[in-house]
Amino acid sequence: MTGQVRTVDGRVAGRRGQATRQKLLECLSEMLSTSPYRDVKVIDVARMAGTSPATFYQYFPDVEGAVLELAEEMAKEGATLTDLVAGRTWAGKPAWAAAEDLVDGFLSFWRKNDAILRVVDLGAAEGDKRFYKIRMKILNAVTNSLTDSIKELQDKGRVDKWVNPAAIAGSLVAMLAAVAAHQKGFQSWGVKQAELKPNLALLVHLGVTGKKPTK
Amino acid sequence: MTGQVRTVDGRVAGRRGQATRQKLLECLSEMLSTSPYRDVKVIDVARMAGTSPATFYQYFPDVEGAVLELAEEMAKEGATLTDLVAGRTWAGKPAWAAAEDLVDGFLSFWRKNDAILRVVDLGAAEGDKRFYKIRMKILNAVTNSLTDSIKELQDKGRVDKWVNPAAIAGSLVAMLAAVAAHQKGFQSWGVKQAELKPNLALLVHLGVTGKKPTK
DNA sequence: AGAGGAGCTGACGGAGTGTCAGGTTAGGTT
DNA sequence: AACCTAACCTGACACTCCGTCAGCTCCTCT
């Protein structure tokens, strides 16, 4: 069902082909985290991989296409983000722990994949549906769970009726993503990395439950 | 003090020069909102402006340089965002109105300038100090005011001591920016534009005051 | 009118893109 | 071993865009 890896011209990639393809992806990833997206050239990636541009075009239609591949890989890994929210209770002390874990997990995931995520964010903002879908895939993992949690609290009457759980969840997740993408920015506010986390957790807790946490 | 506009090779730009320069900026802006940043070429901008690439290079070092110019212009206009927060009280009904106005103003500003802001965001995330500074300039306008408001509440004992006002303010502003940049994304959650605003206002209010709003 | 600087662009070398034809390599078949 | 085939790679090429410079035109002031 996974379908074999295929070259642009339809050939089936064998062992050797897969290897060079992978190497190209690795070099692209490296390239993305060291130079601005706009300046990433096929020829540079090929050079770094010790091969020729023509080989690159055998496996990917263009740089963007290769980035999509990279992003897809990451999105698969990102599915595990669900675990950060699934099956958590949002009452009392466990709620605070839930918020903390969510912030922590999310931030470290974003940090680890910041280079590709930057590009995905850009593509999505530019209206490219392929990037947009990948971004959704990652965020959905968290947002859906969070939405359900809020809905549950709402049904119990612990959250106002006029609140839209999806809107709140989506906004909180967007916040986490944005803060993660611009972590360095906070340093110039005099806010340190370690200080940031509990404050984010507070906002998440407030957003989900509508109340201050009991630490 | 503003210093005259100069060409790349140091000439002082006169009336005619200013005009073509401006036209180039306008066309670039148009270009940015119709095609992905990576695909914006000097030659296209020049063509659209009815001039030659060589002319473009007379006024800007490259596409990035021109985008910076555009961003700087926008940042000046963005200084007015301070008005959304300055001199507001964060207690009772006025607080809710303040939150609503902030969200409204912020979102519409972002919408209006989304194309350039996308690029600024990218540049900042990539660690380019010039873009980073511009982004700060815009966000500072709001964040600083918000930080002060939270500090004030904290001094009055209405906000917990362990809270870091700058971290909260920064996170809230980052949230607004992120949501604004991906407004379309929320539609796929089944969240409509009009529905989004009050929920964002709620989150802002919760973040600043730590309490639910009294509408 | 003409001097001089502002303004524009054709032309060009250099670099990246994307394609194709043709050569090389790996693995299976007889 | 000899052969075949499909996978794999790349040199070469036409094309596009970049970035620069010399030289032309236009405007303005005297």
Side-chain angles (χ1 to χ4, degrees):
Chain A
M1 189 90 291
T2 46
Q4 310 126 305
V5 180
R6 286 184 173 275
T7 58
V8 171
D9 55 327
R11 249 186 24 250
V12 185
R15 196 177 306 162
R16 189 152 70 115
Q18 300 246 12
T20 51
R21 197 185 119 102
Q22 200 53 41
K23 179 148 202 183
L24 283 168
L25 284 177
E26 280 159 23
C27 292
L28 172 59
S29 181
E30 167 78 19
M31 209 93 236
L32 282 175
S33 47
T34 54
S35 56
Y37 181 45
R38 203 167 194 283
D39 298 344
V40 172
K41 312 285 181 191
V42 169
I43 202 173
D44 293 326
V45 177
R47 264 201 278 262
M48 184 181 289
T51 179
S52 76
T55 300
F56 180 96
Y57 286 108
Q58 196 139 64
Y59 296 105
F60 311 103
D62 50 24
V63 171
E64 213 189 41
V67 170
L68 273 166
E69 207 67 25
L70 228 38
E72 213 96 51
E73 258 179 37
M74 179 201 58
K76 270 178 203 159
E77 192 197 335
T80 61
L81 285 173
T82 324
D83 304 343
L84 294 171
V85 217
R88 293 293 205 135
T89 37
W90 289 90
K93 282 185 185 174
W96 177 247
E100 273 189 317
D101 290 349
L102 173 57
V103 169
D104 215 48
F106 206 92
L107 252 59
S108 62
F109 176 78
W110 221 264
R111 263 217 151 157
K112 189 179 160 194
N113 304 98
D114 62 339
I116 308 120
L117 282 163
R118 277 199 298 263
V119 181
V120 172
D121 255 23
L122 176 68
E126 284 177 346
D128 186 311
K129 282 181 188 169
R130 300 164 304 169
F131 284 110
Y132 171 78
K133 279 187 83 173
I134 290 177
R135 189 169 186 272
M136 272 299 142
K137 196 172 175 181
I138 297 169
L139 299 189
N140 267 347
V142 179
T143 315
N144 285 340
S145 294
L146 220 50
T147 304
D148 290 344
S149 299
I150 300 174
K151 260 186 199 152
E152 228 170 277
L153 290 175
Q154 200 173 36
D155 289 343
K156 289 181 189 164
R158 294 166 149 275
V159 166
D160 291 355
K161 283 179 192 167
W162 65 269
V163 168
N164 182 326
I168 297 287
S171 300
L172 288 175
V173 170
M175 174 182 74
L176 291 177
V179 171
H182 297 280
Q183 277 177 84
K184 286 177 193 166
F186 280 83
Q187 290 169 8
S188 85
W189 301 111
V191 179
K192 283 169 194 166
Q193 165 78 7
E195 241 178 335
L196 192 55
K197 284 183 184 175
N199 284 281
L200 276 174
L202 168 62
L203 285 172
V204 170
H205 188 284
L206 278 169
V208 174
T209 68
K211 291 178 183 176
K212 285 186 196 170
T214 48
K215 281 199 182 186
Chain B
M1 190 89 292
T2 46
Q4 311 124 303
V5 180
R6 286 183 174 275
T7 58
V8 171
D9 55 325
R11 252 188 20 252
V12 185
R15 196 175 308 163
R16 188 153 70 117
Q18 300 247 11
T20 51
R21 198 185 119 102
Q22 199 54 40
K23 179 147 201 181
L24 282 168
L25 283 177
E26 280 159 23
C27 291
L28 172 59
S29 179
E30 167 78 19
M31 210 91 233
L32 282 175
S33 46
T34 54
S35 54
Y37 180 45
R38 201 166 195 283
D39 298 344
V40 172
K41 313 282 181 194
V42 169
I43 203 174
D44 293 326
V45 177
R47 261 202 279 263
M48 184 182 289
T51 179
S52 76
T55 301
F56 180 96
Y57 287 107
Q58 197 138 65
Y59 297 105
F60 310 103
D62 50 23
V63 170
E64 212 190 43
V67 169
L68 272 166
E69 207 66 26
L70 227 39
E72 213 97 53
E73 258 180 36
M74 180 200 58
K76 271 178 201 157
E77 192 197 335
T80 61
L81 285 173
T82 324
D83 304 343
L84 295 172
V85 216
R88 291 295 203 136
T89 38
W90 289 91
K93 282 185 185 174
W96 176 248
E100 272 189 317
D101 289 350
L102 172 57
V103 169
D104 214 48
F106 205 92
L107 251 58
S108 62
F109 176 78
W110 221 263
R111 263 218 150 158
K112 190 178 161 195
N113 303 98
D114 62 338
I116 308 118
L117 282 164
R118 276 199 298 262
V119 181
V120 172
D121 257 24
L122 175 70
E126 284 177 345
D128 187 311
K129 282 182 188 170
R130 300 164 305 169
F131 284 110
Y132 172 78
K133 278 187 84 172
I134 290 177
R135 189 169 186 271
M136 272 299 142
K137 195 173 177 181
I138 297 169
L139 298 188
N140 267 347
V142 178
T143 314
N144 285 339
S145 295
L146 220 49
T147 303
D148 291 345
S149 299
I150 300 175
K151 260 186 198 151
E152 228 171 277
L153 290 175
Q154 199 173 35
D155 290 342
K156 289 181 189 164
R158 296 168 147 274
V159 166
D160 291 354
K161 283 179 192 167
W162 64 269
V163 168
N164 181 326
I168 296 287
S171 300
L172 287 174
V173 170
M175 173 182 75
L176 291 176
V179 171
H182 296 281
Q183 277 178 81
K184 287 176 193 165
F186 281 83
Q187 289 169 10
S188 84
W189 301 111
V191 180
K192 284 169 193 165
Q193 164 79 5
E195 242 178 334
L196 192 56
K197 284 183 183 175
N199 285 279
L200 276 173
L202 169 60
L203 285 172
V204 170
H205 189 283
L206 278 170
V208 175
T209 67
K211 291 178 184 177
K212 284 185 195 173
T214 47
K215 283 201 179 182

